[in-house]
C-alpha cells in the first residue's frame, strides 16, 4: 500500500467537549493543526471490545477499495506482526493525543506517532502489504483507516466515527 504520514487537524479542548456531548455546532476554534507529519493509532472501545486502526494519507490519484464509504475510507489488510509490534510499543510508552467517549458510549483514543524513524518503518512495512479486496469501491480520498481483518471482525456493527475526529491538513501552496 502506498501510504504516508500526514499533518492532521484534531479537535481542540472545546472540540473534544462537543464530541463528548454530540454537539454539532462545530467552529474553527474547535480544531487545532498538529505539528509535523505523523501516522495515528486509533483505538475504538465499545462494550469492552477494542479495535485498532491506523490512520494514514493515501495518494489522491489512487482509487481505494473500501469497506465503508465516507470521509475516511476503511481499508482491510491481512494482519502484520511488524505493525502489531509497532502499535504495542508506541501505545505502551505514550499517552493518547486525544481521548473522549461519545454519546453512544464508544471510547475513542488517538496516538500521534511523532518519531520519524517509526513513521518511516510504518511506510516501509505498509508498502509491502496488498489491501484485501472488498465489495464497495468509492472515489479516492486523501485519508484512510487501515484495519487488520481480525480487528475488523471484532464488531458485528462498526461504531460510528465522528466526522470531526481527524482531518488531513491540505497544503494550499
Amino acid at each position: 500500500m502506498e501510504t504516508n504520514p500526514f499533518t492532521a487537524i484534531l479537535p481542540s479542548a472545546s472540540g473534544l467537549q462537543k464530541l463528548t456531548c454530540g454537539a454539532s455546532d462545530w467552529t474553527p476554534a474547535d480544531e487545532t493543526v498538529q505539528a509535523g507529519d505523523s501516522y495515528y493509532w486509533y483505538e475504538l472501545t465499545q462494550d469492552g471490545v477494542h479495535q485498532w486502526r491506523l490512520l494514514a494519507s493515501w495518494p489522491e490519484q489512487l482509487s481505494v477499495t473500501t469497506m465503508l464509504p465516507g470521509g475516511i475510507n476503511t481499508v482491510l489488510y491481512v494482519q502484520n506482526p511488524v505493525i502489531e509490534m509497532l502499535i504495542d510499543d508506541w501505545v505502551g510508552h505514550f499517552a493518547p493525543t486525544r481521548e473522549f467517549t461519545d454519546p453512544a458510549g464508544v471510547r475513542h483514543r488517538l496516538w500521534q506517532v511523532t518519531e520519524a524513524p517509526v513513521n518511516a518503518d510504518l511506510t516501509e512495512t505498509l508498502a509491502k502489504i496488498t489491501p484485501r479486496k472488498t465489495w464497495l469501491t468509492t472515489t479516492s480520498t486523501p485519508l484512510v483507516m487501515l484495519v487488520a481483518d481480525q480487528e475488523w471482525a471484532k464488531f458485528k456493527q462498526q461504531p460510528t466515527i465522528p466526522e470531526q475526529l481527524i482531518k488531513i491538513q491540505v497544503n494550499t501552496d
Side-chain angles (χ1 to χ4, degrees):
M1 286 186 279
E2 188 179 339
T3 63
N4 286 296
F6 62 97
T7 300
I9 301 170
L10 299 179
S12 64
S14 64
L16 285 174
Q17 182 61 33
K18 287 180 178 180
L19 289 173
T20 300
C21 298
S24 60
D25 58 336
W26 204 259
T27 68
D30 297 325
E31 298 178 332
T32 182
V33 177
Q34 299 304 290
D37 288 347
S38 302
Y39 285 103
Y40 287 82
W41 301 126
Y42 177 31
E43 180 194 37
L44 288 150
T45 305
Q46 184 176 36
D47 299 327
V49 178
H50 307 276
Q51 183 186 80
W52 290 98
R53 300 173 179 210
L54 177 64
L55 299 167
S57 73
W58 186 270
E60 288 189 66
Q61 72 275 14
L62 296 179
S63 61
V64 58
T65 303
T66 179
M67 292 299 295
L68 296 174
I72 303 175
N73 283 323
T74 303
V75 178
L76 296 186
Y77 64 92
V78 176
Q79 195 164 15
N80 180 289
V82 174
I83 294 173
E84 301 302 313
M85 179 196 66
L86 289 169
I87 290 172
D88 290 345
D89 285 351
W90 196 263
V91 170
H93 291 97
F94 300 94
T97 303
R98 297 291 187 278
E99 182 173 5
F100 70 97
T101 301
D102 68 23
V106 178
R107 183 175 177 200
H108 305 262
R109 299 194 312 165
L110 281 175
W111 283 262
Q112 181 179 6
V113 181
T114 56
E115 292 181 14
V118 178
N119 283 313
D121 286 347
L122 282 167
T123 300
E124 181 181 340
T125 301
L126 288 165
K128 300 171 190 169
I129 296 174
T130 302
R132 196 188 88 181
K133 297 293 183 196
T134 58
W135 62 89
L136 293 174
T137 302
T138 66
T139 57
S140 183
T141 59
L143 188 58
V144 292
M145 283 191 272
L146 306 167
V147 185
D149 289 338
Q150 289 179 328
E151 289 293 310
W152 183 260
K154 288 181 175 180
F155 294 123
K156 289 180 183 176
Q157 177 85 23
Q158 293 296 316
T160 301
I161 310 301
E163 181 180 319
Q164 302 88 350
L165 175 67
I166 189 166
K167 297 177 190 171
I168 193 166
Q169 173 71 31
V170 180
N171 293 332
T172 57
D173 301 340

